Amino acid sequence: DIVLTQSPALAVSLEQRATISCKTSQNVDNYGISYMHWYQQKPGQQPKLLIYEGSNLASGIPARFSGSGSGTDFTLTIDPVEADDIATYYCQQSKDYPRTFGGGTKLELK
Amino acid sequence: QVQLQQSGAELVKPGSSVKISCKASGYTFTSYDMHWIKQQPGNGLEWIGWIYPGNGNTKYNQKFNGKATLTADKSSSTAYMQLSSLTSEDSAVYFCARGELRRANWFAYWGQGTLVTVSS
């Protein structure tokens, strides 16, 4: 299985930049496409798609969110962080089966 | 608009089975994979498998072989997941999510989740 590793938590101040990383145990790129996606989850809610294929902003998601990276190293950036962004963020790969998720990074206020 | 409406919370006894549903609307049900994802309390997300309602094809995470069975009813645009031989380890929230048509197959639409509690 492809293992996705995220830091458990990140403390950030409002209006500052948050950078959340996701490292994969295998390359998740194929023919120039990154099979890496990012989700936001708030307590008691379902996950919400933010970024697909590494860097594409999902419909209705503010431009404060961006995704970058390739191969085995990916980053979700939130700039600037707003109060509504306090949540847990998950990366997910769809290069191979089984689909796997990172353990999640809980974004907290400093 | 695309909606995935899941069935309500279940309290079930150890050793029994439970079947939860995910009713789709707002799109052609038979054209998209439906995935199921498990989330234990305070834990991350675990992919169980998918079903393609168009022909009933399924793909499972080996970890859930024998535990989860995915089916779909085209007439009601509803996907089902049956969990068998339940133990406390099966207590979790279960989500359905639609896989997008591109090869990268991300999850743009999710159900609200169904809480399954296994307890005597």
Side-chain angles (χ1 to χ4, degrees):
Chain A
D1 297 4
I2 299 178
V3 176
L4 280 60
T5 302
Q6 298 182 245
S7 297
L10 176 66
V12 64
S13 302
L14 293 179
E15 300 184 18
Q16 298 303 304
R17 175 186 301 165
T19 302
I20 297 171
S21 73
C22 177
K23 296 185 186 302
T24 64
S25 62
Q26 299 174 36
N27 188 332
V28 297
D29 290 356
N30 196 28
Y31 294 107
I33 295 175
S34 291
Y35 288 73
M36 173 59 67
H37 322 296
W38 290 93
Y39 303 87
Q40 175 195 68
Q41 188 180 32
K42 296 179 180 179
Q45 295 185 16
Q46 67 269 51
K48 178 181 182 180
L49 177 71
L50 300 174
I51 300 288
Y52 63 93
E53 292 179 335
S55 60
N56 295 312
L57 196 65
S59 176
I61 302 302
R64 302 183 287 104
F65 292 87
S66 63
S68 62
S70 64
T72 60
D73 284 276
F74 294 88
T75 301
L76 173 71
T77 301
I78 312 170
D79 189 13
V81 170
E82 295 187 359
D84 188 52
D85 301 334
I86 299 307
T88 300
Y89 293 84
Y90 294 94
C91 54
Q92 178 243 328
Q93 66 80 23
S94 59
K95 170 82 183 310
D96 202 0
Y97 287 106
R99 307 303 197 218
T100 48
F101 292 84
T105 297
K106 189 172 184 180
L107 191 64
E108 300 168 333
L109 282 179
K110 241 182 225 180
Chain B
Q1 71 283 22
V2 175
Q3 288 191 328
L4 302 175
Q5 183 65 38
Q6 296 186 231
S7 49
E10 300 270 5
L11 173 61
V12 292
K13 295 194 183 310
S16 68
S17 298
V18 68
K19 191 172 186 177
I20 61 180
S21 65
C22 171
K23 182 170 177 57
S25 60
Y27 71 97
T28 303
F29 177 65
T30 51
S31 296
Y32 293 79
D33 304 336
M34 188 70 78
H35 297 246
W36 290 87
I37 293 107
K38 177 182 181 181
Q39 186 169 40
Q40 288 178 297
N43 282 9
L45 301 160
E46 197 169 16
W47 180 79
I48 296 170
W50 58 250
I51 183 166
Y52 182 67
N55 58 15
N57 282 357
T58 55
K59 177 89 174 169
Y60 292 93
N61 182 339
Q62 272 194 306
K63 179 179 177 181
F64 291 92
N65 272 337
K67 170 62 65 178
T69 303
L70 306 183
T71 56
D73 178 2
K74 289 189 275 190
S75 67
S76 62
S77 298
T78 302
Y80 297 93
M81 178 173 67
Q82 179 161 320
L83 300 169
S84 60
S85 303
L86 292 165
T87 72
S88 59
E89 284 301 302
D90 299 313
S91 292
V93 175
Y94 293 87
F95 295 100
C96 59
R98 193 187 83 169
E100 291 309 297
L101 284 179
R102 298 247 285 272
R103 164 64 182 87
N105 203 219
W106 57 90
F107 308 135
Y109 298 96
W110 294 66
Q112 81 276 21
T114 296
L115 174 64
V116 174
T117 304
V118 182
S119 174
S120 55

